[in-house]
Amino acid sequence: MPTTTPHSTVATRLSSLLETVLQTPIPVRIRAWDGSTAGPADAPTLIIRHKRAMRRILWQPNELGLARGYIAGELELEGDIYDALDRLQALVWRSPDVKDLPFHTVAADLVRLGVLGTQPKPPPEEMQVTGTRHSKRRDRQAVSQHYDVGNEFYRIVLGESMVYSCAYWTSDEPGYGLADAQRDKLDLICRKLDLEPGMRLLDVGCGWGSLAMHAAREYGVSVLGITLSGEQADYARKQVAEAGLTDQVEIRIQDYRDLDDGPFDAISSVGMAEHVGTGPYKEYAEILHGQLKPGGRLLNHQIGRLRLPDKQPHQPRSFIDSYVFPDGELAPIGTTVGLLEEAGFEVRDVHALREHYARTLRAWVANLESDWSAAVRLTSPGRARVWRLYMAASALAFEQARINVNQVLAVKTHRNGVSDMPPTRSGFIA
Ligand SMILES: C[S@@+](CC[C@H](N)C(=O)[O-])C[C@H]1O[C@@H](n2cnc3c(N)ncnc32)[C@H](O)[C@@H]1O
């Protein structure tokens, strides 16, 4: 009984093995470790560089198994990454539980291909958090693992504006790029908040300080920006000092649950509430409400999911939870609006920016790809692969309306119900 397979047949055997396991035709071209190919000629190629990748997929025939193979460099995608991921997600959704794998029908091929064996170790880039979910300590760990991976790496991905949230693309003119769209987003937020000189703005989850600085410079407000990331705070403070804004902008490493400086005239929370979690969200909304003056506005900019997921009793840990945003949680916009209202806010406007996030993510992926070797040098090949995969997959998820992003403008009304809002929408959205 031969233990190896003739070269010309490895890819064919692999694709039929995968089709049996995943119970669907392979939607991509496959190139195996011996150079043989199979599958549709005009499709992007999934390169299986190493037998170990097959072991991973067999042990974990789901999103995480495929992602781990890619992060470890055992799998490679050739061709348009968005097209490749779009095709591969059909496989991921159909993948059976490992206990349901039809080993009896594929056993002979598994032996011939030499892909049987123990489960490979996960790539080291996996993020580990300990303690009680959404305790302050664990949230700090989760934030640090995602954001404290090097400001220079983020500079490559995010570009000069260092804004890590959905941009607002107001033009299709050539020459109008990510930095313009991020500036337009920051300005949109300032206008929605009706910032005026002398006001105090609280920016919860301030990142690298871009909104705080824009608001201080362009609108003459003083800003407290809080973040849990030490590297972000270092970077933001340096930028604030260089811009001569130290009198107006304070950057602090602080958890939103420890805020004690209110009341503020306005509050922004941009790309931060995804870290809060559904459990603590009510408290989060109440804290922001408590930190705001009557008549003050909150701009909450947050990713949400459009639908409730199908009921699956054994949801495996997702790629995003394991390698990207441990403990991050997405809620439908209706839940977010409801919880803001419960906390006492009057919700005045919900602005869906879904397509804008897809475009932003594509710009970040392009930035990363165009400076790939520097990104790898500054982090690790695995880390750069994690970011490329998560951002491309997220772009697709926004495009396909599986997730969304919304700016919710809410007000803390005066006791008598007066909102201080203009009578028409054109008063705050230009
Ligand atoms: C995706 S970044 C967005 C940064 C910035 N607002 C922007 O748009 O570029 C999320 C931010 O939320 C902060 N954050 C997450 N959890 C937090 C918490 N419990 N308290 C304070 N900040 C938190 C992170 O430190 C990070 O600065």
Side-chain angles (χ1 to χ4, degrees), residues 193 199 264-267 289 292-299 345-346 409-414 418-421:
L193 289 173
M199 279 186 169
F264 292 87
D265 298 289
I267 301 179
H289 191 263
L292 203 52
K293 278 184 188 162
R297 298 182 194 175
L298 163 71
L299 191 289
F345 282 107
E346 182 186 26
L409 183 65
V411 66
K412 175 173 178 170
T413 56
H414 293 272
V418 171
S419 68
D420 294 345
M421 290 291 295

Side-chain angles (χ1 to χ4, degrees), residues 136 139-140 143 146-147 158 161-166 182 185-186 203-211 226-229 232 254-257 269-276 301 325 357:
K136 287 185 204 170
D139 279 353
R140 192 175 283 229
V143 162
H146 183 87
Y147 298 97
L158 304 178
S161 44
M162 289 296 269
V163 183
Y164 198 16
S165 47
C166 166
Q182 288 295 11
K185 189 270 299 289
L186 298 181
D203 187 28
V204 185
C206 66
W208 290 269
S210 306
L211 176 58
I226 64 164
T227 172
L228 287 184
S229 156
Q232 286 183 339
Q254 190 173 45
D255 192 288
Y256 71 90
R257 285 158 285 201
S269 174
V270 184
M272 181 272 172
E274 298 86 338
H275 290 286
V276 170
H301 172 124
F325 290 113
Y357 219 153

